[in-house]
Amino acid sequence: MTALVSPAKIGFVGLGNMGRPMVARLAAAGYELHVADKDASLATDFAAVHGGRTAPSLAALAGAVEAVITMLPDGKVVREVLLGRNGLAEGLSPGSIVLDMSSSDPVGTRELGATLRAKNIDLVDAPVSGGVPRARDGSLSTMVGGDDAATARVRPILETMAKHVFLTGALGTGHAMKALNNLVSAGGLWIASEALLVGQRFGLAPERIVDILNASTGRNNSTENKFKQHILSRSFASGFSLGLMAKDLRVAADLAAVTGQPSPMTRLCAQLWSEAEGKLGGAQDHTAVIKVLEEDDGDGSAHRELVHKALGSEA
Ligand code: NAD
């Protein structure tokens, strides 16, 4: 099987915050693109600006391409789009390939891979990290699971969108790694939010707290790239929603459970972010999660209630 170099025919499903800048890079590299989204106006707008094509159905789109990339909210939606009525799998030819770049659940990915294999369709999981700015400039990181021949085939596509391409092993390991990355990222954001608010109540200036963390051992990606930019500025505009982050943490907690590895902080983190999603709404930016701590009534009882609920549901 030959590598999918430009101008190969590629389908792209999911033109949201990440999908749009990612597929724009493929367009600029000269790939022949066939695009779709549940919101049809996103596909027609993209086609008008970048010259891609739209299709009357997902099956029709799949029939016109050698590979399909999915950039959708979660693994459940990816499976629906592939296996549902008039879905991609109905149109894909034997020997074609599906590249799921969404942050999906790794167990579901392995099941999907077995279903597609029976139709002689390959699946590679290649979720990304770096957010919207790095999607725009093509400097994303991607963690890639799948067999060697399939990953070699999609490598030119990946290198058009990502600066760092990490092969992680068997199908599903990319999705597992992505959920674990976001676990560490979300844990860092939450704990730094608590530290900021505690410090503030004790009389420290918030900007000073962030500066000192960033020059000290407490720094993390959120203290460096999110606190001043999105939280202290109150812009809350990172382009990554609270609902998607909470989903990733549930994926990480489920993965921990499947492996049997005791992971109490993982479960607590997933619970706290899910509670925050319930309180604030999943459409908010994930950096707005600090609001659940700020909206406390002064004696910490709202936060204690959140933690008790989280711990209670673990029992
Ligand atoms: P988004 O919500 O902005 O976009 C998702 C798109 O999928 C939307 O345009 C939506 O209309 C479309 N969609 C939903 N259901 C569909 C269906 N059944 N058929 C066709 N289209 C459908 O999400 P996003 O921020 O672009 O994230 C996409 C994926 O990438 C998620 O898995 C997310 O966790 C992950 N991710 C996001 C970021 C980020 O910074 N936003 C970073 C890394 C990874």
Side-chain angles (χ1 to χ4, degrees), residues 213-255:
L213 286 172
N214 284 341
S216 310
T217 53
R219 73 179 179 278
N220 63 36
N221 178 58
S222 295
T223 65
E224 287 180 337
N225 298 314
K226 296 180 186 173
F227 271 84
K228 284 195 177 177
Q229 297 82 343
H230 299 294
I231 296 174
L232 299 186
S233 71
R234 312 308 282 179
S235 70
F236 302 120
S238 78
F240 182 44
S241 73
L242 174 52
L244 289 177
M245 181 64 104
K247 172 263 305 183
D248 289 339
L249 299 171
R250 290 191 288 272
V251 171
D254 289 348
L255 180 64

Side-chain angles (χ1 to χ4, degrees), residues 18 22 69-71 99-103 124-131 134-135 138-146 151 154-169 173-179 181:
M18 290 294 283
M22 287 165 68
I69 300 169
T70 44
M71 193 56 180
L99 178 56
D100 182 20
M101 301 190 76
S102 330
S103 302
V124 170
D125 54 315
V128 297
S129 181
R134 285 173 57 189
S139 69
L140 292 166
S141 295
T142 180
M143 33 230 108
V144 190
T151 51
V154 295
R155 192 160 185 124
I157 298 176
L158 293 172
E159 286 175 349
T160 307
M161 294 180 274
K163 186 171 165 197
H164 307 282
V165 177
F166 296 102
L167 302 185
T168 49
T173 53
H175 283 151
M177 186 61 233
K178 172 63 189 175
N181 175 74

Side-chain angles (χ1 to χ4, degrees), residues 37-54:
D37 192 283
K38 190 170 71 175
D39 176 350
S41 70
L42 292 176
T44 46
D45 288 356
F46 181 88
V49 175
H50 297 279
R53 299 177 197 192
T54 58

